[in-house]
Amino acid sequence: MSISRKKRAGRVLLMLFLFLSGVVVWDQVQTWQEEKNLWQTEASTSSDKNNTVLLGGMPVGIYMETDGVMVLSTEKIKGTDGNEYEPAVYAVETGDYITAVNHHAIEGKADLLDEVEQIDGEDVILTLRRGDETMDTKVSPVEYEPGQYRLGIWVRDNVQGLGTITFLTEQSRFGALGHGISDTDTNMLMSIGGGRIYRTSIQDITKGYSGSPGTMEGIIVYNKYNILGSIDKNTEAGIYGTVDRIDELFEEQIPIETASRDEIKTGDATIRCYIDNEIKEYDIQVTDIDADSAEINKGLVIQVTDPELLEKTGGIIQGMSGSPIIQNGKLIGAVTHVFVQDSTKGYGIFIDNMLNQVESSETSNIVSN
């Protein structure tokens, strides 16, 4: 797998993802502290448990690194003897994470390539994480040019894209997307080592139609000046992390109560999203509620009815996942998927499923600290 730098850049796959998504978080600024104190007082008068969050709907850039180097597939290599070999076919599986080469820990594809460059023809020991197991496996590299070897493995070590913030908690923890980020080649939920959210500028919207969901396109500059916060959790119920620069993400800081699923009714509701350089609410209908859905992110079925949104987007488009769903003044969930054959319709996740993920993250942080 060792090749020239230019070829290596082409060999190791980097994919740009566009997500249906959402993200939010808090900062320590005086104006927010004053509002938070008021918010806490109001919430305490109605409930023993603080069920108020800041309302999202803002698009952000997303960058996440895998926890190890993810195996996508294996490939055949033509050796210097003219024969074809597939050295890793029985040694690794799609969805494995390579964490070490010859017992040298690696964090990303650059580390992996550096280790591959040191191969001298001897068998290579790869340390893999497969589900909850860690194991060593042996691969016999193939000499494809004199003194140069490959392992025949396609890998990925990061994912980039666009998403929408759903909410921010009192502890500056955000929830976004309402669904997990899965690898496009394997369709498996990605195990992440960490990530960041960035400022983004939405440039264009492609309207959706039957058989082809629309898209939201933006420019994301991945540098330290544009970082808004960090991502530490990727689950089937969305991505989660902490916002460090709240004022830059939230021009408006709108506290909103969250609803339990038994408060949700079929009928009128709104979604809050970013279209035409502004964040606003658009009319929808909640058409079905499945409190016992087998899929954590498909408990609600919604349909866009707002003429303005239908005209601009055709309904739900890629980039809207995580857009808050509001009913009777409460946050009830977030947009997660679009129906491919009818872009006016889609799924949503119950907000309590997202809040459960935030609470487990906060508990974990307290224990680790």
Side-chain angles (χ1 to χ4, degrees):
M1 189 173 177
S2 177
I3 49 180
S4 68
R5 287 284 173 183
K6 287 185 178 179
K7 290 183 179 178
R8 281 188 287 144
R11 276 291 178 211
V12 183
L13 302 181
L14 286 173
M15 302 296 293
L16 179 63
F17 282 24
L18 188 64
F19 306 114
L20 292 173
S21 55
V23 189
V24 221
V25 197
W26 258 289
D27 216 317
Q28 288 97 23
V29 287
Q30 180 143 7
T31 55
W32 164 240
Q33 188 63 44
E34 292 168 356
E35 245 185 79
K36 187 170 86 169
N37 292 338
L38 176 60
W39 165 31
Q40 289 174 319
T41 301
E42 291 175 342
S44 65
T45 64
S46 60
S47 172
D48 291 335
K49 181 180 179 181
N50 191 344
N51 60 347
T52 303
V53 297
L54 284 189
L55 185 61
M58 298 75 73
V60 292
I62 296 171
Y63 177 86
M64 299 196 315
E65 297 172 343
T66 59
D67 184 12
V69 179
M70 184 181 186
V71 174
L72 300 179
S73 62
T74 61
E75 69 169 347
K76 292 182 179 179
I77 301 168
K78 187 174 183 179
T80 53
D81 60 3
N83 295 321
E84 284 195 337
Y85 303 90
E86 196 168 358
V89 64
Y90 299 116
V92 301
E93 296 180 2
T94 297
D96 286 348
Y97 287 84
I98 303 172
T99 60
V101 178
N102 289 331
H103 305 295
H104 297 153
I106 62 170
E107 295 184 357
K109 68 180 186 300
D111 291 344
L112 175 61
L113 293 171
D114 287 342
E115 291 295 331
V116 169
E117 285 185 344
Q118 309 304 315
I119 294 175
D120 58 6
E122 298 294 322
D123 287 344
V124 174
I125 303 300
L126 300 179
T127 302
L128 308 175
R129 188 178 65 256
R130 181 176 298 167
D132 294 330
E133 293 184 64
T134 299
M135 63 189 72
D136 286 341
T137 188
K138 184 184 297 185
V139 178
S140 299
V142 174
E143 187 177 26
Y144 71 100
E145 289 182 8
Q148 297 187 0
Y149 298 86
R150 289 179 179 169
L151 299 178
I153 305 174
W154 287 80
V155 299
R156 175 176 293 127
D157 71 347
N158 68 56
V159 58
Q160 306 167 44
L162 187 70
T164 300
I165 299 291
T166 306
F167 63 83
L168 183 68
T169 73
E170 176 188 356
Q171 290 75 27
S172 299
R173 298 286 298 173
F174 74 82
L177 276 66
H179 62 76
I181 296 176
S182 298
D183 178 74
T184 52
D185 294 298
T186 67
N187 203 33
M188 299 174 69
L189 186 72
M190 299 184 74
S191 175
I192 69 164
R196 295 174 292 280
I197 55 173
Y198 291 81
R199 284 195 300 248
T200 184
S201 173
I202 304 302
Q203 301 294 304
D204 191 29
I205 288 176
T206 301
K207 189 173 179 178
Y209 56 88
S210 178
S212 179
T215 60
M216 186 184 296
E217 299 177 8
I219 294 176
I220 307 163
V221 179
Y222 292 102
N223 63 34
K224 63 181 181 180
Y225 304 107
N226 288 313
I227 296 174
L228 297 171
S230 59
I231 302 168
D232 54 43
K233 196 172 183 182
N234 178 36
T235 77
E236 295 289 359
I239 63 172
Y240 301 87
T242 302
V243 173
D244 300 319
R245 295 157 71 176
I246 292 175
D247 276 1
E248 294 190 34
L249 185 57
F250 290 85
E251 292 186 8
E252 293 182 277
Q253 294 179 359
I254 305 172
I256 186 170
E257 271 191 80
T258 59
S260 60
R261 65 182 65 187
D262 58 6
E263 295 180 81
I264 305 169
K265 311 295 182 185
T266 56
D268 294 345
T270 61
I271 59 173
R272 178 176 159 90
C273 54
Y274 184 90
I275 305 292
D276 278 353
N277 297 315
E278 65 175 337
I279 301 171
K280 60 182 291 187
E281 293 182 29
Y282 298 93
D283 293 333
I284 65 166
Q285 288 282 307
V286 176
T287 61
D288 192 29
I289 302 167
D290 184 358
D292 301 312
S293 173
E295 297 184 71
I296 193 172
N297 50 41
K298 293 183 178 180
L300 300 170
V301 178
I302 62 174
Q303 182 165 16
V304 176
T305 57
D306 194 292
E308 181 182 358
L309 189 59
L310 290 172
E311 173 62 28
K312 292 176 178 179
T313 67
I316 299 168
I317 61 175
Q318 291 178 326
M320 276 188 190
S321 277
S323 295
I325 305 174
I326 302 159
Q327 187 179 66
N328 296 325
K330 291 187 177 183
L331 179 60
I332 67 171
V335 177
T336 58
H337 299 83
V338 60
F339 287 13
V340 175
Q341 296 305 319
D342 184 353
S343 61
T344 70
K345 297 179 180 179
Y347 287 110
I349 183 173
F350 294 117
I351 195 62
D352 59 13
N353 283 335
M354 296 186 73
L355 292 173
N356 288 340
Q357 295 295 330
V358 170
E359 289 170 4
S360 65
S361 296
E362 291 170 354
T363 301
S364 176
N365 289 338
I366 291 170
V367 172
S368 63
N369 291 336

